Amino acid sequence: EAGVTQFPSHSVIEKGQTVTLRCDPISGHDNLYWYRRVMGKEIKFLLHFVKESKQDESGMPNNRFLAERTGGTYSTLKVQPAELEDSGVYFCASSFQGRGNTIYFGEGSWLTVV
Amino acid sequence: AQSVTQPDIHITVSEGASLELRCNYSYGATPYLFWYVQSPGQGLQLLLKYFSGDTLVQGIKGFEAEFKRSQSSFNLRKPSVHWSDAAEYFCARTVPYTGGFKTIFGAGTRLFVKA
């Protein structure tokens, strides 16, 4: 069974450019999460989808970040325009519905803004 | 608010020595608890989890953790550390909210292993 996959694995962009990160959750997982770890700091929650519906986007840093999950399958996280402080690793995770289900993480998308 | 605390920012142990990483949680009668590891340049790997039942949980790579309700703790242990265990370790828990459940993390403990 395929795990959570993320693309690209690494990206280097200039300040002011746009980057779109993609996440393919494990098949059948309704829950999809985005997390971010910046500069070796804490892993911060960004947002949570259930199917195509955003349940909580309280962790999104600002309106330069836009997440979508069309059709309730894969999700994209767009950063536009990127700033230096956006550098870090962006993790996607997914799980089945219900509390007792483990959240599985992808390998992360490592973003460097120069 | 429900939270996870890892008191130690970094720990250094000698190869072959035992290891214990501390984790405390706040609030919640029945927390669902996890330990993840992130090796340099790698993603997050689940080491073990506790939902209910036996309070001593076995995980991968020879790790175990013990849930102690009276101390609100879920410490990670390994009897003999290998150099490849050098990484950052995160304690985490799921928290409920109106939209479902989400995972929150402690600040992490970086483990250094010396020869």
Side-chain angles (χ1 to χ4, degrees), chain A residues 11 19-20 22 24-25 28 31 34 36 41 48-49 51 62 65-67 71 77-78 89 96-99 102 105 108:
Chain A
S11 181
V19 63
T20 300
R22 173 173 169 142
D24 286 79
N31 288 309
W34 283 99
R36 179 173 78 164
K41 294 187 178 178
H48 171 209
F49 285 100
K51 297 183 180 179
N62 50 60
F65 290 74
L66 175 64
L77 179 64
K78 179 189 288 188
V89 58
F96 286 113
Q97 281 281 56
R99 182 186 186 189
T102 302
F105 284 81

Side-chain angles (χ1 to χ4, degrees), chain B residues 17-60:
Chain B
S18 63
L19 170 71
E20 183 168 25
L21 302 182
R22 296 184 291 165
C23 172
N24 294 95
Y25 65 91
S26 68
Y27 193 67
T30 310
Y32 285 28
L33 299 163
F34 306 83
W35 275 99
Y36 289 87
V37 60
Q38 185 182 17
S39 297
Q42 304 295 312
L44 285 169
Q45 183 179 25
L46 178 67
L47 287 175
L48 48 78
K49 61 186 177 184
Y50 172 77
F51 289 169
S52 64
D54 192 344
T55 56
L56 184 62
V57 181
Q58 301 297 319
I60 62 171

Side-chain angles (χ1 to χ4, degrees), chain B residues 78-106:
Chain B
K78 186 169 184 178
S80 177
V81 168
H82 187 262
W83 65 266
S84 61
D85 293 325
E88 194 150 14
Y89 293 79
F90 295 92
C91 184
R93 67 176 294 178
T94 57
V95 295
Y97 73 107
T98 53
F101 299 95
K102 58 186 176 183
T103 298
I104 60 173
F105 291 85

